Amino acid sequence: MKATCAAVWNFACFVLINAQASLPISNIAVTQSSPGLPIAALTAVNLTCEVSGLGSADSRLWMMDGQPLSTDNRITLSVDNSTVSFNPVLLSDTGAYQCTASNLVSSKTSDAYGLIINYGPEQVSITGPDSAVLNSSVTFVCSARSTPACFYTWYFNGKEKARGSEYKIDAVNSSNTGSYSCLAANPVTGGTSIAEKRLDVTGVGEPPAPSSLTSQQVLVIVTSIAAVLIVSGLTLSYFGIQRYKKKQSSNQNNSQLDPGQKSSNAAANDGPSLYEHITPTGQRETGKIRKQRNVQPEGFYTDLELSDESLYTNLKR
């Protein structure tokens, strides 16, 4: 009796198993080992290919982004391929995962399961000007590589100023000169990173400090200054030489004159002041000269050496 019951049971089990294998697979899905929890980089993650309903799966095949999944020491499969394990999971594992289950009568592929790896922040940076003119507008933008997106907090000279990826100053003044910092924080990974940028505010129309000159620019400036100095020196030397030659020529001409000519020239030069009161017929003027100078007429006139004989003749009268 017992043997009969055992045989009947085994037969029933055989029939049930074959019946399930002969039924089509109706439901299949990819699930995560810790559903609802975000996945951070460098943690362990398992994905399972679940088949439910009357039909069962004889085999399972995993795919990533439409291509067969490659395994290695970090990515492994269970004995029946129902589970794929990532230990640890990396950013490169981000993608769409699918499972295809098959039996004797059917084959079915699951919907894509998006594996999102949370990481960051990395490569935090601030974009914006290094200098600004007084009363102008300035906008800084903070960015970072991160999943999910980071929360940003702005600091100026160590004091918190604002929150968000952008920080704007409508009209800068001298008090806005200083160091600006952006703190990026990932709400899932808990990671933080900071970037800094300095702003210098210049006066109205005042340009930023010029950059240092190159060696070629310095050479051009020095050469130009030297050329100007050389030309100036040559010009001054030329005029000095000409003036010296003119003076020497004048001295040489004077040295060639005899004493009479020199006296005549001197008298001619001094004529207007010496003879301004003397006229050929002016006896009254002559009397004045006698009285003022207290000299004899004849002696006075005879001592005069005049180049003009007509004037001398009149004086003798």
Side-chain angles (χ1 to χ4, degrees):
M1 185 67 180
K2 291 182 180 181
T4 302
C5 289
V8 172
W9 176 253
N10 289 336
F11 177 77
C13 291
F14 175 79
V15 171
L16 179 60
I17 292 173
N18 282 277
Q20 288 179 334
S22 300
L23 295 175
I25 298 172
S26 56
N27 298 312
I28 183 173
V30 175
T31 61
Q32 181 194 337
S33 54
S34 301
L37 294 180
I39 301 172
L42 303 179
T43 60
V45 176
N46 295 329
L47 296 181
T48 301
C49 179
E50 294 185 349
V51 177
S52 60
L54 296 178
S56 62
D58 294 333
S59 64
R60 293 175 176 84
L61 175 66
W62 286 92
M63 292 176 293
M64 175 186 177
D65 294 332
Q67 300 296 323
L69 177 64
S70 299
T71 59
D72 52 27
N73 293 334
R74 187 178 61 85
I75 303 174
T76 59
L77 294 171
S78 61
V79 176
D80 60 355
N81 287 356
S82 61
T83 302
V84 57
S85 300
F86 302 86
N87 191 18
V89 68
L90 302 179
L91 183 60
S92 59
D93 296 324
T94 300
Y97 289 82
Q98 292 175 289
C99 172
T100 299
S102 303
N103 61 17
L104 295 176
V105 296
S106 66
S107 177
K108 192 172 182 68
T109 301
S110 68
D111 292 335
Y113 175 85
L115 182 62
I116 299 175
I117 312 302
N118 299 278
Y119 73 99
E122 298 176 357
Q123 302 178 10
V124 181
S125 63
I126 299 175
T127 57
D130 297 324
S131 62
V133 177
L134 189 68
N135 295 323
S136 64
S137 176
V138 170
T139 301
F140 293 121
V141 178
C142 189
S143 61
R145 291 185 58 195
S146 176
T147 300
C150 286
F151 295 140
Y152 299 100
T153 305
W154 290 92
Y155 296 87
F156 174 63
N157 291 338
K159 296 182 180 180
E160 183 176 340
K161 300 295 292 183
R163 294 190 178 186
S165 60
E166 290 188 1
Y167 180 56
K168 184 176 181 180
I169 306 173
D170 292 328
V172 297
N173 55 51
S174 58
S175 65
N176 296 124
T177 296
S179 177
Y180 292 81
S181 303
C182 170
L183 176 67
N186 188 312
V188 174
T189 64
T192 59
S193 186
I194 194 167
E196 295 184 1
K197 189 175 187 65
R198 179 172 178 81
L199 176 69
D200 292 315
V201 178
T202 61
V204 177
E206 178 185 347
S211 58
S212 58
L213 296 176
T214 63
S215 58
Q216 185 175 4
Q217 291 173 327
V218 173
L219 179 61
V220 171
I221 293 174
V222 172
T223 303
S224 300
I225 294 175
V228 170
L229 293 177
I230 291 173
V231 172
S232 299
L234 292 175
T235 302
L236 293 176
S237 298
Y238 173 77
F239 284 108
I241 292 172
Q242 294 299 318
R243 184 176 180 181
Y244 176 76
K245 289 182 176 180
K246 184 176 182 181
K247 184 176 181 181
Q248 289 293 99
S249 176
S250 177
N251 292 337
Q252 185 175 3
N253 292 335
N254 290 334
S255 65
Q256 294 175 354
L257 297 176
D258 56 38
Q261 289 176 325
K262 291 181 182 180
S263 177
S264 176
N265 290 341
N269 291 335
D270 295 337
S273 61
L274 180 61
Y275 304 114
E276 60 183 353
H277 297 297
I278 300 175
T279 60
T281 58
Q283 298 297 325
R284 186 176 299 176
E285 293 295 326
T286 303
K288 292 181 180 180
I289 294 175
R290 292 174 183 174
K291 183 178 181 179
Q292 292 173 354
R293 296 181 180 271
N294 196 22
V295 296
Q296 295 299 322
E298 290 294 325
F300 176 75
Y301 292 122
T302 57
D303 291 336
L304 294 175
E305 295 182 2
L306 302 176
S307 60
D308 190 342
E309 294 183 358
S310 62
L311 176 62
Y312 177 76
T313 303
N314 291 330
L315 290 175
K316 289 290 290 183
R317 292 176 186 177

